[in-house]
Amino acid sequence: METLFSRKALSIAITCFTGWSCALLAINIFRDYVFGLFVWLPFVMGAISTMIYAYKNTVPRKKLVWNAQVTLLIFCAGLFTFAWEGIICIIMAAPVGMLFTWLGARAGYALTKKKVNGNTLAAMVALILSVPLFMAFEHSVKQEDEIRYVTTSIEINAPAEKVWKHVVVFPQLKEPSEFVFKTGIAYPINATIDGNGVGAVRHCNFSTGSFTEPITIWDEPRLLRFSVADQPETMKELSFYDIHPNHLHGFWSSKQGQFKLTSLPNGHTLLEGTTWYVNKIKPGIYWAVWSDYIVHKIHLRVLKHIKMLAEL
């Protein structure tokens, strides 16, 4: 006779296998990190784990929801173990996954309470098939990239002429003390330049490689603007393996940047750093919080270094 424990184990096993199969499809076949992966897949996982566990069994809703979250945890552990993702990216994605797994579990519970046991298998198959179909639909629909920008400012006790030379190039920065950069997120190390004026090529060197930045505006000592011709990976994944997931290549991309210097009445200089970038990972409203925060921390690291040099 089947026990509740064996049914629980079956619900976790089937759901995780389904999740890993769909994640592999999204990451390595469609190469998309959008709603199908981060929203619909967790929802479906929450629903089917609940429907399997509760099928012809009376299980408290709280226990079903908890089982769905444990299933998500095991699914994420598998992504890390199979070297598909690093731990930091899994942690960043976890809040969205947990929310939609919870919603899916609630939906699965509602279905079981409606006494549709005769159609449970068909409902689960339909839910499972809906994931790759949704992913395929998203992959076929090309959306225009949204360009976001982040501006960070700092006041420097030095004239703009002195600040300018440390904006164009700056020497080696100290090892970062910020926690975010200790997780593998790329951080700036130094900046060099080949040439002078418009057409010169600036190289902002990061922990993962170099940003190649052709100068488009050289208005000394007021504005330095540059495009981005090439850029390195956005982070080094924390993993037991040397992994380079697809989302490190082109899903977050810097388009252009600038340093604006404004002379203040007190003889100081207001230095503003701005980055225009695209983040293709969805849902954008959630991932923009992370990306804006990281860009702001990168700006601060550079601006504080320039301030220190200019005020010597």
Side-chain angles (χ1 to χ4, degrees):
M1 181 178 179
E2 185 182 44
T3 64
L4 271 180
F5 177 79
S6 61
R7 177 63 66 84
K8 178 178 182 178
L10 185 66
S11 73
I12 293 173
I14 292 176
T15 304
C16 283
F17 180 78
T18 299
W20 290 327
S21 300
C22 292
L24 183 64
L25 181 67
I27 294 169
N28 290 336
I29 305 300
F30 293 136
R31 296 177 178 266
D32 287 334
Y33 294 79
V34 284
F35 292 97
L37 178 62
F38 290 115
V39 172
W40 190 239
L41 177 58
F43 180 89
V44 169
M45 289 176 62
I48 63 174
S49 68
T50 298
M51 294 169 73
I52 294 172
Y53 193 7
Y55 180 65
K56 292 184 178 179
N57 287 301
T58 301
V59 184
R61 184 174 65 182
K62 185 178 293 186
K63 197 170 184 179
L64 292 169
V65 171
W66 175 247
N67 180 67
Q69 296 295 347
V70 170
T71 302
L72 179 67
L73 178 63
I74 295 173
F75 165 76
C76 292
L79 296 180
F80 181 73
T81 303
F82 302 149
W84 292 349
E85 284 295 344
I87 189 65
I88 298 302
C89 288
I90 291 174
I91 291 173
M92 292 169 71
V96 175
M98 292 173 67
L99 170 62
F100 285 96
T101 297
W102 176 78
L103 291 173
R106 295 287 296 250
Y109 178 77
L111 288 173
T112 62
K113 295 299 287 183
K114 287 184 178 298
K115 308 297 184 183
V116 293
N117 286 334
N119 298 319
T120 297
L121 180 59
M124 286 193 295
V125 170
L127 281 169
I128 291 170
L129 291 178
S130 72
V131 180
L133 289 174
F134 188 15
M135 290 177 174
F137 172 75
E138 283 189 304
H139 182 72
S140 66
V141 177
K142 302 302 179 184
Q143 296 183 346
E144 186 175 347
D145 295 332
E146 176 191 3
I147 297 181
R148 297 182 59 83
Y149 72 90
V150 175
T151 298
T152 309
S153 62
I154 195 169
E155 185 172 332
I156 301 175
N157 183 10
E161 291 76 12
K162 186 176 181 181
V163 175
W164 173 268
K165 65 178 183 179
H166 298 299
V167 165
V168 176
V169 298
F170 51 81
Q172 195 83 4
L173 283 79
K174 295 179 180 179
E175 284 296 310
S177 58
E178 301 91 338
F179 174 76
V180 65
F181 297 132
K182 295 183 182 296
T183 64
I185 300 292
Y187 56 85
I189 296 174
N190 60 48
T192 61
I193 193 165
D194 297 325
N196 189 65
V198 174
V201 178
R202 188 171 180 267
H203 302 277
C204 192
N205 301 309
F206 274 60
S207 55
T208 56
S210 180
F211 282 79
T212 303
E213 302 169 343
I215 304 300
T216 57
I217 297 179
W218 183 290
D219 183 13
E220 184 176 353
R222 288 177 289 272
L223 180 63
L224 180 73
R225 181 176 294 174
F226 46 85
S227 60
V228 178
D230 192 24
Q231 61 188 68
E233 292 185 348
T234 53
M235 68 180 298
K236 179 175 175 55
E237 290 279 10
L238 288 184
S239 173
F240 295 128
Y241 318 95
D242 182 23
I243 62 174
H244 301 271
N246 294 324
H247 65 77
L248 299 185
H249 304 276
F251 282 87
W252 186 95
S253 56
S254 177
K255 296 303 181 181
Q256 69 173 355
Q258 73 173 29
F259 290 99
K260 181 180 179 182
L261 294 78
T262 303
S263 296
L264 302 176
N266 61 1
H268 294 185
T269 300
L270 179 66
L271 176 61
E272 298 173 278
T274 302
T275 296
W276 287 265
Y277 73 89
V278 167
N279 189 351
K280 298 181 181 180
I281 302 178
K282 307 296 182 182
I285 194 171
Y286 172 77
W287 288 102
V289 174
W290 283 106
S291 54
D292 284 359
Y293 169 75
I294 291 169
V295 172
H296 177 64
K297 297 299 286 187
I298 290 171
H299 285 174
L300 273 180
R301 176 169 163 80
V302 172
L303 297 184
K304 287 180 178 179
H305 184 60
I306 293 173
K307 175 180 173 70
M308 182 270 294
L309 294 171
E311 291 182 351
L312 288 177

